[in-house]
Amino acid sequence: MFTNILRSFADNLDTLREFVDLVNPILDKAREEEILANHDTLIPLVLSFNAIAPEQFPLDTSLVENLQSKFDGTLDIHMEDEGGKKSAKLSFNNSGGQAFHSTMSKLSKRFNQKGLLYQNALISLVSAVEWFLSQLLHEYFKLYPEASDIRERSLTLSELQSMGTIDDAKNYLIDLRIEEILRGSFSDWITFLKSKLKLSMGYLTDEENYLTEICQRRNLFVHNGGVINKIYLNKVAQPLRQNLEIGQKITVSQEYLDEAITRFEKFFFLLSLELWKKLSPDDKTRSDIVSDITYKNLYNERWKIVESLSFFLLNDKQLPEMARLVAQINYWQSLKWQERFEEVRKEVEKIDFSAKDERFSLAKAALLDDEKLFFNLLPMLLKTEKITKKDLDEWP
């Protein structure tokens, strides 16, 4: 049950990342081509930047004169200073102004296209999360239909007549219940999961405010044109809405989108793993699927996800020792790549791998930057094929 759902969720989020990565350079190229094709008409923009912030956009006198001579028209820049903020007011006296405004309009559309890409990707992210939660709930209610509260529901005569069997009626009521849950807020989801599925979700503590904000931002795009309203300000934690006001247009940057995907992926992986462990504590396939997903995230340098999944595995006492040892190494190196290795350095130094596979001693040497031991062990492990060249190429 969990294996297919987890793999599909991971694939959906990777597809979303890859789509953004694919479209981004196309939009960048289109913008660059627009600039190159109309570079002379953008001279007023360059001169304005120089006038406003010469320390950031320095141009010597001869270059300024050269640029002005290339501009089709007469350009007057009037500096304005309001509250310590400088701005430039442009004045044109012939066709140069028309060409400038035309090019700026085209460039504005190009920049808006990138904003729409990130905005729509965020909407798709929350949709993928809703699908994932829906799949988990469907599978859980198959095992425990009473948790869906369908015994308290009733059907009309016409609805009953349209049903083929009792099972059809039960499935219909479960579908309705899941739709109701998904229509609620993120906080409503959490309340349901804690009360009905009895999940502890200790891993939610540091994430809840961020995940709530992401869902509320998505709602602004879907229901309010991206404009901040009272609902958003009431439901988002104060530190995450500083300097935001009602009526202000909100945006999504690539950094925000990347962080949102990582936070949702990490949280819902852990949620599903807690549920899986609760329902099937001795299921050994859990180690295989989580190890695969962890390795993929290692390869793509998503250290926060690796940290969370590895920590879960190394504390899952039902799993084989080898799986937990690998998780331990990956947990430590995820911290090292996040520049947090001092949190665990003493723990790494203290552990004794002498009775374990030599690969763990090699990993310990790498973690501690013990080059002498590392290069003493490596030839032997390569010779016995316990470590391959492919491992060295791929493993961080």
Side-chain angles (χ1 to χ4, degrees):
M1 173 182 91
F2 287 95
T3 297
N4 291 335
I5 296 174
L6 275 167
R7 286 194 189 281
S8 294
F9 184 54
D11 288 345
N12 286 342
L13 295 190
D14 278 344
T15 299
L16 181 60
R17 288 186 178 102
E18 290 167 6
F19 174 76
V20 173
D21 290 343
L22 178 67
V23 176
N24 239 333
I26 295 173
L27 295 179
D28 286 339
K29 184 179 180 181
R31 187 180 67 242
E32 290 168 8
E33 289 175 348
E34 197 78 60
I35 292 172
L36 289 172
N38 301 279
H39 60 277
D40 282 352
T41 63
L42 293 173
I43 288 173
L45 195 62
V46 177
L47 295 175
S48 297
F49 288 162
N50 171 252
I52 295 171
E55 67 285 351
Q56 295 181 42
F57 301 95
L59 298 175
D60 60 42
T61 305
S62 60
L63 182 55
V64 170
E65 292 174 353
N66 182 262
L67 288 174
Q68 288 177 334
S69 68
K70 289 183 177 181
F71 177 60
D72 180 20
T74 301
L75 170 66
D76 292 320
I77 299 178
H78 304 286
M79 291 297 298
E80 297 177 352
D81 193 335
E82 294 184 5
K85 294 182 179 180
K86 292 182 178 180
S87 63
K89 186 175 183 181
L90 303 177
S91 300
F92 304 87
N93 67 354
N94 59 13
S95 61
Q98 184 178 353
F100 173 76
H101 287 296
S102 175
T103 301
M104 289 300 294
S105 176
K106 292 175 183 177
L107 285 177
S108 176
K109 290 177 182 178
R110 296 299 185 196
F111 280 105
N112 288 339
Q113 286 169 351
K114 292 203 77 168
L116 284 173
L117 171 64
Y118 301 142
Q119 172 184 316
N120 289 327
L122 184 72
I123 294 170
S124 296
L125 167 63
V126 178
S127 296
V129 166
E130 289 176 343
W131 171 87
F132 181 63
L133 180 57
S134 171
Q135 298 306 301
L136 286 180
L137 292 176
H138 271 107
E139 295 298 333
Y140 185 81
F141 289 154
K142 283 181 184 178
L143 297 173
Y144 304 102
E146 67 278 4
S148 64
D149 298 328
I150 60 174
R151 292 181 182 276
E152 303 171 9
R153 300 300 181 97
S154 60
L155 293 171
T156 65
L157 178 60
S158 60
E159 286 173 332
L160 283 170
Q161 289 173 334
S162 68
M163 305 292 171
T165 64
I166 295 295
D167 283 341
D168 289 340
K170 182 177 72 174
N171 291 334
Y172 173 74
L173 289 173
I174 286 175
D175 287 342
L176 285 179
R177 180 65 181 127
I178 291 174
E179 282 190 13
E180 288 176 358
I181 295 168
L182 294 178
R183 281 198 297 269
S185 67
F186 180 77
S187 296
D188 295 332
W189 297 357
I190 299 305
T191 299
F192 178 84
L193 293 168
K194 285 184 175 180
S195 62
K196 294 297 183 180
L197 275 62
K198 308 300 181 184
L199 299 178
S200 62
M201 291 191 283
Y203 42 85
L204 175 65
T205 304
D206 296 331
E207 297 293 332
E208 186 168 8
N209 286 341
Y210 292 99
L211 298 176
T212 297
E213 193 282 330
I214 294 166
C215 289
Q216 290 302 316
R217 187 173 296 222
R218 173 263 186 190
N219 290 346
L220 287 181
F221 291 124
V222 174
H223 304 299
N224 208 45
V227 177
I228 294 174
N229 55 21
K230 188 67 174 177
I231 297 172
Y232 176 89
L233 294 181
N234 283 346
K235 294 193 174 183
V236 173
Q238 197 277 332
L240 300 181
R241 54 179 170 81
Q242 287 183 346
N243 303 319
L244 297 180
E245 301 175 351
I246 292 176
Q248 183 179 341
K249 187 91 169 180
I250 206 163
T251 60
V252 177
S253 65
Q254 184 167 9
E255 293 74 21
Y256 178 94
L257 177 64
D258 291 341
E259 187 71 16
I261 296 174
T262 295
R263 288 185 185 278
F264 265 122
E265 186 168 15
K266 182 176 72 170
F267 172 73
F268 277 97
F269 275 161
L270 292 175
L271 184 152
S272 60
L273 291 174
E274 183 186 354
L275 182 59
W276 189 349
K277 186 177 179 180
K278 178 184 176 70
L279 298 178
S280 305
D282 299 322
D283 190 345
K284 299 298 187 293
T285 60
R286 184 165 59 252
S287 169
D288 296 334
I289 176 63
V290 179
S291 295
D292 287 348
I293 293 174
T294 301
Y295 186 79
K296 183 165 67 172
N297 282 288
L298 268 173
Y299 188 71
N300 289 290
E301 302 182 1
R302 298 177 192 132
W303 310 120
K304 290 181 180 179
I305 297 176
V306 174
E307 176 188 351
S308 297
L309 294 182
S310 298
F311 187 78
F312 182 92
L313 280 179
L314 69 90
N315 287 288
D316 190 342
K317 304 304 181 184
Q318 280 76 31
L319 297 181
E321 182 191 36
M322 181 63 74
R324 287 187 285 116
L325 283 172
V326 171
Q328 180 71 83
I329 295 294
N330 288 334
Y331 174 70
W332 283 335
Q333 75 159 323
S334 73
L335 294 183
K336 186 172 182 180
W337 284 106
Q338 294 179 74
E339 299 183 358
R340 293 167 49 201
F341 190 59
E342 293 308 312
E343 297 176 23
V344 294
R345 178 180 290 279
K346 290 183 179 178
E347 185 181 350
V348 178
E349 291 173 341
K350 183 179 178 181
I351 198 163
D352 182 8
F353 284 134
S354 59
K356 309 297 181 185
D357 189 305
E358 293 94 336
R359 289 177 297 175
F360 293 105
S361 295
L362 184 75
K364 177 181 176 179
L367 286 165
L368 294 172
D369 297 320
D370 187 340
E371 296 180 9
K372 182 177 179 181
L373 177 58
F374 183 90
F375 286 107
N376 281 338
L377 288 171
L378 184 59
M380 177 186 67
L381 293 176
L382 287 169
K383 186 175 181 179
T384 57
E385 297 185 347
K386 289 186 175 181
I387 290 286
T388 67
K389 184 177 183 300
K390 186 172 184 289
D391 294 331
L392 295 176
D393 287 339
E394 292 185 357
W395 193 44

